[in-house]
Amino acid sequence: MKKKCSFHLTLFVMEITREEDVSVAIDALLECKVKIEHILQGRDLNLQFLGVSEFNNQVVFAKIAEDSAKAKLKEITDTVKNTFKDKELFKIENRSCIPHLTLMKMESAPELQEQGVIIYPSLYRTFKKHYFGNETMSRLDLCSMGKARQPDGYYHTEASIFIGVS
Ligand code: AMP
């Protein structure tokens, strides 16, 4: 199970091969603040987490409820993605973007993963329709998956922008 402080939503994944390009990515992230605030029009983005799903029995995650906030999150994701695409430096992973709040993943237990152990659906069946609560989007981070994690267990963070009114 993940540490609470490392809970996050990944909007998308990209490849930055040269360390010197990180500063370009940071500039792109900073450009996103005004665009996101324009989309939100002074309102908070309050996401509801309802039910669980999985990726290939390897990742179990809380789903985002199908409502207008989820649609806004999609709009924000597309906008941020396009801002990075415009820099023409980054290879953006094309895998279908399903917003997910990871609860557990086999990647965190590489030895078991190597042995072919999976996360059995019986372990989380009772949470299929569970309401986990809600969270207001307050920050967007540019994280590195390739660098060592921070002491609190969260991904190494290159830069952040703060969003919202409250
Ligand atoms: P995290 O971003 O730390 O919450 O980890 C989520 C995990 O889910 C990563 O291992 C991703 O590679 C994986 N993942 C994300 N999106 C998908 C997808 N659409 N299909 C399969 N696996 C995914």
Side-chain angles (χ1 to χ4, degrees):
M1 195 69 169
K2 287 170 74 72
K3 280 188 194 167
K4 202 175 162 199
C5 57
S6 66
F7 281 131
H8 64 276
L9 288 176
T10 302
L11 296 192
F12 59 91
V13 176
M14 64 188 158
E15 202 181 309
I16 302 179
T17 42
R18 302 181 318 159
E19 184 61 29
E20 55 267 38
D21 292 340
V22 171
S23 61
V24 181
I26 293 173
D27 286 346
L29 178 75
L30 301 181
E31 272 177 42
C32 292
K33 182 175 163 67
V34 67
K35 295 182 185 181
I36 295 171
E37 285 174 348
H38 180 73
I39 292 170
L40 292 176
Q41 294 285 307
R43 295 188 195 93
D44 280 343
L45 185 71
N46 193 251
L47 299 163
Q48 313 275 337
F49 295 91
L50 178 67
V52 286
S53 190
E54 48 80 40
F55 296 130
N56 311 314
N57 292 317
Q58 295 292 308
V59 182
V60 174
F61 60 91
K63 294 190 290 184
I64 299 179
E66 296 295 333
D67 59 13
S68 57
K70 186 176 179 184
K72 278 267 179 251
L73 181 68
K74 166 91 172 72
E75 199 180 335
I76 289 171
T77 302
D78 290 345
T79 301
V80 175
K81 213 184 238 183
N82 286 334
T83 306
F84 280 88
K85 267 188 191 159
D86 286 348
K87 302 290 173 199
E88 293 178 357
L89 272 181
F90 313 116
K91 203 172 132 206
I92 294 178
E93 206 177 82
N94 257 335
R95 186 159 45 177
S96 67
C97 181
I98 300 166
H100 55 280
L101 179 64
T102 300
L103 302 174
M104 45 181 154
K105 56 179 177 179
M106 286 310 301
E107 223 176 279
S108 307
E111 284 162 25
L112 295 178
Q113 191 178 35
E114 238 168 64
Q115 290 167 30
V117 173
I118 61 162
I119 306 174
Y120 292 99
S122 56
L123 288 172
Y124 53 87
R125 192 168 288 137
T126 50
F127 293 96
K128 274 275 173 203
K129 291 182 180 171
H130 183 78
Y131 178 63
F132 289 91
N134 64 295
E135 191 68 40
T136 298
M137 178 181 168
S138 58
R139 210 180 76 216
L140 190 61
D141 298 327
L142 177 70
C143 294
S144 169
M145 295 165 83
K147 294 180 185 168
R149 287 189 180 236
Q150 297 174 176
D152 62 3
Y154 189 59
Y155 285 119
H156 173 88
T157 305
E158 302 286 358
S160 304
I161 52 174
F162 292 84
I163 311 287
V165 284
S166 53

